[in-house]
Amino acid sequence: TVLANEQVIDGRGWRTGALVEKREIPMYYLRITAYAEELLGALDELQGWPERVRTMQANWIGRSEGCDVSFPYADDTRAALASASAGASASAGGGVADALKVFTTRVDTLFGVSFVAVSAEHPLATAAATRSAALAEFVAECRRGSTMEADVATMEKRGMATGLHVRHPLTGEAIEVWVANYVLMSYGEGAVMGVPAHDERDFEFAKRNGLAIPTVVRPEGAAWQQVGNEWSSEYAAHGLTVNSGEFSGLDFDAAIDRISAALEKRGLGKRRVQWRLRDWGISRQRYWGCPIPLVHCAVCGEVPVPDTDLPVRLPEDLVPDGSGNPLAKSAAFLNCACPKCGKPARRETDTMDTFVDSSWYFLRFASSDQHAAPVDERVQYWLPVDQYIGGIEHAILHLLYSRFWTRAMRDLGLLSLTEPFAKLLTQGMVLNHIYYRQPAAGRRLFINPAEVELRTGAGGQRTAVWMNDNAPVEQGGLGTMSKSKNNGVDPQSMVEKYGADTARLFMMFASPPEQTLEWSEEGVQGQYRFLRRLWKAVHDHVNAAAVDMHQGLIRVGGAPLGTAATQLRWQTHHTLERVTGDIARRRVFNTAIAATMELLNAVSRYDETGSAARGVRHEALEVIVLCLSPMVPHICHELWQALGHEQALIDESWPKPDAAALRQDTIEIIVQVNGKLRGRVQVASGADQATAHAAALTHESVRRFAGEAPPRRVVYVPGKLLNIVV
């Protein structure tokens, strides 16, 4: 079956290690390119999406303004194509039938072309390979390589001359044709014009193969006049044309206009917009997948399966044996009658890419009991999704396909929605250590970290040992948890050992949700200890005296509170205020948890006694339990009821901070001397700089480091910090 580019490593399947080859096969496509302009333009409206996801989609869609340029075939190329009977496919890309077409955004550099390069799949490469065994081997090697642009960008730029030539469209000069491993058939026409002086990739290629590097653009100033022997980013900048015949001395825009016009006049070029996006190939030659609902009839051609016969269901008694698609060998599935003429016909055996299903499942949720149509009017009530959550690995394909599919259903009159997801959160990946054994022959054996023990030798060196045989294993560093690396953590064992709440709390505390998280057994244990501290604090408080039954937070009344009680009430409601804001932003659960930890520490330090003091402590514990409940619901439910509530915590309303408690007569500010912490002092709320400075100098440590001389400068952040510069 087909593999995604990401599943090919060094030319082999990432699971089986089998050699991967590229084949031309008939496929079905969805015309996502018809929506390229709309998909790109609407990204600016997705303000609830992360900027990097929008940038990734914009780059994937890839709008480029440029010019098609046709390089007429030289006589040797015509002869080679005729000999290989490849002339028809060579011109299949359009343009001049007797020319090689390339697309460029830098037609101003046209006079700097010293070679043209084609991909290994290009018809010119195929024709030339029939005449050279060495070239045929190089072409085969290129076809086994990666087609991922990220890999192509970093790979060694290699190529081989074909012995064929094309002619420069404006000068008629013969230009050599090369096959290059960095040219992708999937982009443009599978051919590029090589301008080594003004493109880093072409420069590297030309230097390696001894090709000319003519300078045809220079800066408008006098920074440099000629491209040197080492690449500089300045060479790729826009400037004035030189060595370009009648087009010399033009700036970028003028050169683009005049050279494009000259090409169009000769019928050898045309300005246009190029899209990196390609139509979506949905065919898969495998058993499990949504069948493509088409029937092949010798009389009627391809006939859609009637709506009344949908869905086409997969047979469930087939056994994949590795010899191809089982559907193609199942007579019961394959043979059918043509829906149009009734004669014997053949059912399509390709199934759809599973991305097809994931591109609209969220729409189906709104009307899953609707069997006459994909969706009904309920989709307008429920959609778009208010908050969508998914990994950054879905930033392009799934999210782009979903945006396309929603628009396609809109244009079919099935809904009036345009964007499927209002807000998007891309959670980070979870990392863990990788351990493996590398046999002399064969694939690596990856060993789960839970089966590895780190031991310290006599010299202090750390060795990783597989506990099965007490022999060392190799350490592969940190990597994303995956089945292939066998470095995942079994959630069930974690729950059995520490409880589900501990596992949840660690994952939310260790990192903001959109960043990567390094798994740590010590970190899990730390959260386990915190929850035990919280449980004990509530237990001790409840068992110290009877708890009155009540609803909602205790409102402390009666006699005025002392300084410590007032400070704890302020921290309690300040914590509630912080957590409310952090959770609402859906990005900072870790800081919300940290705030509750700080409050529990404050409760532990609070040692006043009496009914008012007990009420203040009770209120603080209630706020901690409430604030943690979205992260650790099970323990918090138990603690909430232990604190005297009959109603389940999940049914309680989220409280609002007490404005009176947040008012402070005095506040604590940090005092620094030359940027280093030297003390903390209490000042009146709203104190000005002079007052805060005077209070700071009453602190012994501050006085000692500040000295007796007047400071050079005092920096004051009201209510937070005073820095004395001496």
Side-chain angles (χ1 to χ4, degrees):
T1 186
V2 295
L3 291 175
N5 288 331
E6 292 82 359
Q7 296 169 333
V8 181
I9 300 175
D10 297 329
R12 294 178 177 270
W14 71 296
R15 282 192 183 280
T16 65
L19 278 173
V20 172
E21 59 181 283
K22 299 174 189 172
R23 292 181 183 174
E24 289 190 13
I25 57 175
M27 293 185 69
Y28 294 95
Y29 292 84
L30 296 180
R31 200 177 299 281
I32 190 174
T33 53
Y35 291 83
E37 189 85 60
E38 183 181 352
L39 289 169
L40 179 63
L43 287 172
D44 291 337
E45 302 170 12
L46 297 176
Q47 295 303 310
W49 284 38
E51 179 63 30
R52 68 169 176 159
V53 174
R54 291 187 289 159
T55 299
M56 291 168 71
Q57 287 208 5
N59 292 339
W60 189 262
I61 297 169
R63 186 182 191 276
S64 301
E65 292 187 8
C67 185
D68 283 328
V69 181
S70 294
F71 290 79
Y73 294 144
D75 291 342
D76 57 2
T77 301
R78 291 196 196 91
L81 289 170
S83 174
S85 301
S89 61
S91 61
V96 179
D98 197 25
L100 176 70
K101 189 170 76 171
V102 305
F103 174 82
T104 178
T105 59
R106 293 295 304 272
V107 77
D108 60 315
T109 65
L110 185 59
F111 284 81
V113 175
S114 63
F115 68 94
V116 294
V118 298
S119 77
E121 289 86 10
H122 196 281
L124 284 185
T126 302
T130 62
R131 309 191 309 172
S132 166
L135 182 60
E137 173 57 31
F138 178 70
V139 165
E141 181 185 342
C142 290
R143 290 184 175 185
R144 288 193 296 269
S146 173
T147 60
M148 295 180 65
E149 288 188 36
D151 293 341
V152 170
T154 57
M155 69 171 53
E156 180 185 15
K157 308 301 183 290
R158 300 174 56 230
M160 185 174 288
T162 64
L164 307 180
H165 296 79
V166 295
R167 297 204 172 275
H168 193 284
L170 296 182
T171 68
E173 177 186 355
I175 299 173
E176 197 169 21
V177 178
W178 287 66
V179 177
N181 65 343
Y182 66 84
V183 182
L184 298 177
M185 193 66 198
S186 60
Y187 185 75
E189 305 293 331
V192 299
M193 63 183 209
V195 186
H198 307 291
D199 181 275
E200 183 176 8
R201 184 180 57 181
D202 295 344
F203 181 87
E204 179 184 336
F205 187 83
K207 290 266 289 186
R208 173 177 292 276
N209 295 290
L211 300 173
I213 307 178
T215 301
V216 293
V217 174
R218 66 167 180 79
E220 295 192 30
W224 54 270
Q225 297 294 323
Q226 191 75 23
V227 169
N229 290 325
E230 298 298 327
W231 176 258
S232 169
S233 59
E234 294 177 323
Y235 299 153
H238 297 172
L240 297 177
T241 53
V242 295
N243 305 318
S244 299
E246 64 181 287
F247 304 101
S248 296
L250 302 176
D251 64 19
F252 174 76
D253 292 329
I256 293 289
D257 290 340
R258 287 188 55 184
I259 295 176
S260 298
L263 290 169
E264 291 186 13
K265 185 176 181 180
R266 295 183 180 213
L268 294 175
K270 185 176 181 60
R271 296 184 74 164
R272 71 175 176 89
V273 172
Q274 166 95 329
W275 298 94
R276 182 181 180 277
L277 184 66
R278 291 292 173 265
D279 283 330
W280 176 10
I282 63 166
S283 287
R284 298 293 181 266
Q285 298 71 44
R286 59 187 173 205
Y287 180 13
W288 293 112
C290 181
I292 293 176
L294 290 172
V295 170
H296 300 276
C297 175
V299 178
C300 306
E302 289 186 334
V303 181
V305 173
D307 288 358
T308 53
D309 294 339
L310 294 176
V312 176
R313 297 189 181 276
L314 288 171
E316 298 184 15
D317 58 349
L318 302 186
V319 180
D321 59 6
S323 64
N325 187 350
L327 294 174
K329 295 177 285 186
S330 171
F333 179 82
L334 188 61
N335 300 325
C336 62
C338 173
K340 194 171 182 180
C341 69
K343 294 182 179 180
R346 176 177 59 85
R347 193 181 301 280
E348 176 57 59
T349 57
D350 275 9
T351 55
M352 294 186 194
D353 178 7
T354 52
F355 274 112
V356 170
D357 302 305
S358 61
S359 292
W360 74 287
Y361 75 94
F362 46 88
L363 298 170
R364 181 65 178 172
F365 281 162
S367 46
S368 60
D369 57 352
Q370 166 63 266
H371 301 299
V375 295
D376 57 29
E377 65 278 356
R378 287 174 287 180
V379 76
Q380 295 303 137
Y381 174 82
W382 287 108
L383 274 291
V385 177
D386 295 295
Q387 177 70 61
Y388 201 55
I389 301 174
I392 191 67
E393 70 274 15
H394 297 303
I396 296 171
L397 295 182
H398 165 59
L399 292 171
L400 186 62
Y401 291 155
S402 298
R403 297 180 64 221
F404 156 65
W405 196 276
T406 302
R407 285 167 166 79
M409 291 184 70
R410 174 201 66 191
D411 292 348
L412 290 170
L414 295 169
L415 45 82
S416 59
L417 195 66
T418 296
E419 289 293 345
F421 314 124
K423 292 182 179 179
L424 173 67
L425 170 63
T426 53
Q427 85 274 9
M429 306 299 286
V430 183
L431 309 180
N432 202 0
H433 291 278
I434 298 171
Y435 301 100
Y436 64 91
R437 290 261 177 84
Q438 180 66 64
R443 303 173 63 204
R444 283 181 175 179
L445 171 66
F446 288 96
I447 300 162
N448 192 274
E451 302 173 13
V452 173
E453 181 181 358
L454 294 176
R455 297 177 181 173
T456 303
Q461 72 276 14
R462 299 271 283 176
T463 304
V465 175
W466 191 9
M467 291 185 285
N468 281 13
D469 57 13
N470 284 320
V473 296
E474 299 292 328
Q475 301 185 47
L478 284 171
T480 303
M481 283 190 186
S482 66
K483 294 187 292 293
S484 63
K485 297 293 188 293
N486 191 22
N487 65 335
V489 172
D490 180 9
Q492 186 60 38
S493 63
M494 189 64 56
V495 169
E496 290 172 358
K497 188 173 183 180
Y498 297 109
D501 281 339
T502 298
R504 289 166 60 102
L505 190 64
F506 167 72
M507 287 188 286
M508 294 192 194
F509 179 69
S511 170
E514 69 272 16
Q515 296 181 16
T516 55
L517 182 158
E518 181 179 340
W519 189 263
S520 163
E521 183 82 13
E522 293 80 7
V524 175
Q525 293 170 358
Q527 300 310 307
Y528 183 64
R529 289 193 296 269
F530 166 69
L531 290 176
R532 287 175 63 89
R533 280 185 59 217
L534 175 60
W535 186 278
K536 184 176 185 302
V538 173
H539 178 272
D540 291 348
H541 171 76
V542 168
N543 284 280
V547 174
D548 294 329
M549 301 301 291
H550 61 280
Q551 295 293 325
L553 294 175
I554 288 181
R555 297 304 178 191
V556 180
L561 299 174
T563 301
T566 301
Q567 178 60 29
L568 181 58
R569 284 211 79 219
W570 173 85
Q571 187 166 350
T572 296
H573 289 272
H574 179 62
T575 299
L576 177 57
E577 187 176 50
R578 283 179 58 188
V579 172
T580 301
D582 288 349
I583 291 178
R585 290 195 295 275
R586 299 179 181 86
R587 295 285 194 279
V588 281
F589 303 116
N590 57 322
T591 57
I593 295 168
T596 63
M597 291 177 171
E598 293 170 9
L599 181 55
L600 182 59
N601 290 338
V603 171
S604 301
R605 293 192 300 267
Y606 182 63
D607 57 3
E608 291 186 350
T609 58
S611 60
R614 178 174 174 76
V616 170
R617 184 181 293 108
H618 191 107
E619 182 183 44
L621 290 170
E622 281 191 330
V623 166
I624 294 171
V625 170
L626 275 162
C627 289
L628 283 175
S629 62
M631 281 70 83
V632 284
H634 310 94
I635 287 176
C636 289
H637 170 83
E638 295 289 337
L639 295 180
W640 186 249
Q641 297 205 327
L643 287 168
H645 298 268
E646 293 180 333
Q647 181 168 280
L649 178 53
I650 197 171
D651 294 323
E652 295 281 0
S653 298
W654 191 262
K656 293 182 179 180
D658 185 352
L662 289 173
R663 286 196 298 269
Q664 291 182 287
D665 295 329
T666 62
I667 55 175
E668 183 181 74
I669 62 170
I670 294 170
V671 182
Q672 297 176 337
V673 179
N674 291 340
K676 294 184 178 180
L677 176 64
R678 298 306 183 189
R680 302 170 188 269
V681 296
Q682 296 285 330
V683 298
S685 179
D688 59 15
Q689 178 174 305
T691 304
H693 187 196
L697 293 177
T698 64
H699 193 289
E700 180 182 350
S701 177
V702 173
R703 233 181 11 257
R704 183 170 70 255
F705 285 98
E708 299 296 331
R712 291 170 52 198
R713 186 160 52 99
V714 176
V715 179
Y716 181 49
V717 181
K720 295 183 179 180
L721 177 144
L722 182 87
N723 183 26
I724 303 172
V725 182
V726 298

